[in-house]
């Protein structure tokens, strides 16, 4: 494995508005606890990836900040009014050290550090000066967007982001990486992530919830 050469930017919304489509997926678990667990498991997996030198969490939520700082992330205040793409841009703009930069979604509770490392290595092995992205499991969204040193991240996350990133010149990465591609927006997504094997924070909440 190469020396750590990546800064990974992970925006996390305020917990009261995060993951709205997932609300009620675990009826006895406060929604904010579930949203925080998804982010905590994502960040811990990124921190354990040998390719990653630093994780920048962009957030305006004090609870998120406390939890993820304890997990080893560097905190970046969320810019006002910028939305998700503004948070990605802001995090990338404060990255230091001339490293590769990746923007990663915060809802990957099954993420395995080895899969992330494989995807980051694949990004570095492509043509010089070109951004790369990893689509989500359905193939329409984006879970990871990578940019070489000196190349703007140019995030286009949102509905149809895979096509939007491709239209903007980013090249899709073709590896399988099931735990990287398994973002969680709905109860069905959460069940699919559980089948892959959840990180400890999310697993603990599912263990505490009664079987449905």
């Amino acid at each position: 494995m190469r020396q750590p050469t990546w800064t990974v930017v992970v925006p996390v919304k305020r917990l009261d508005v995060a993951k709205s489509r997932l609300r009620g997926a675990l009826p006895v678990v406060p929604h904010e606890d579930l949203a925080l667990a998804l982010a905590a498991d994502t960040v811990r997996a990124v921190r354990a990836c040998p390719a990653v030198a630093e994780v920048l969490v962009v957030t305006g939520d004090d609870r998120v900040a406390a939890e993820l700082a304890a997990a080893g992330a560097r905190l970046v205040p969320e810019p006002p009014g910028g939305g998700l793409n503004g948070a990605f841009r802001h995090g990338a703009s404060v990255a230091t050290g001339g490293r590769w930069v990746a923007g990663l979604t915060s809802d990957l509770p099954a993420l395995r550090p080895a899969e992330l490392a494989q995807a980051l290595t694949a990004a570095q092995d492509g043509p010089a000066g070109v951004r790369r992205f990893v689509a989500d499991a359905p193939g329409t969204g984006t879970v990871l967007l990578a940019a070489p040193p000196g190349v703007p991240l140019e995030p286009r996350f949102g509905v149809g982001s895979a096509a939007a990133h491709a239209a903007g010149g980013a090249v899709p990465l073709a590896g399988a990486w099931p735990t990287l591609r398994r973002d969680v927006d709905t109860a069905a997504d959460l069940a699919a992530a559980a089948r892959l094997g959840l990180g400890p924070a999310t697993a603990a909440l599912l263990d505490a919830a009664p079987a449905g």
Side-chain angles (χ1 to χ4, degrees):
M1 175 61 67
R2 301 165 174 164
Q3 290 296 312
T5 54
W6 286 86
T7 295
V8 177
V9 177
V10 183
V12 183
K13 291 181 180 180
R14 290 195 339 266
L15 296 176
D16 59 337
V17 298
K19 309 308 302 179
S20 59
R21 292 169 60 199
L22 196 59
R23 192 172 292 277
L26 297 178
V28 301
V29 174
H31 178 73
E32 291 78 6
D33 291 1
L34 178 56
L36 180 58
L38 300 179
D41 283 333
T42 302
V43 167
R44 289 188 180 104
V46 178
R47 285 281 298 152
C49 176
V52 175
E54 185 175 46
V55 183
L56 302 182
V57 169
V58 183
T59 190
D61 189 291
D62 291 341
R63 188 178 172 198
V64 170
E67 177 81 13
L68 300 188
R74 173 184 163 198
L75 300 178
V76 178
E78 184 178 62
L84 179 60
N85 288 312
F88 275 117
R89 285 191 296 269
H90 182 55
S93 75
V94 303
T96 58
R99 302 185 186 106
W100 283 69
V101 174
L104 187 75
T105 60
S106 64
D107 56 353
L108 306 171
L111 180 62
R112 297 292 182 269
E115 285 191 16
L116 178 59
Q118 290 164 11
L120 297 178
T121 297
Q124 288 180 310
D125 287 343
V130 177
R131 294 175 303 124
R132 283 81 159 183
F133 70 94
V134 176
D136 61 9
T140 57
T142 304
V143 293
L144 183 145
L145 176 66
V151 174
L153 191 62
E154 296 184 25
R156 300 182 181 190
F157 287 83
V159 176
S161 62
H165 284 130
V171 174
L173 294 171
W177 309 315
T179 71
L180 173 59
R181 294 184 186 272
R182 183 66 279 163
D183 58 345
V184 172
D185 290 316
T186 66
D189 295 338
L190 183 60
R195 289 192 291 271
L196 293 170
L198 295 167
T202 310
L205 294 184
L206 264 70
D207 288 345

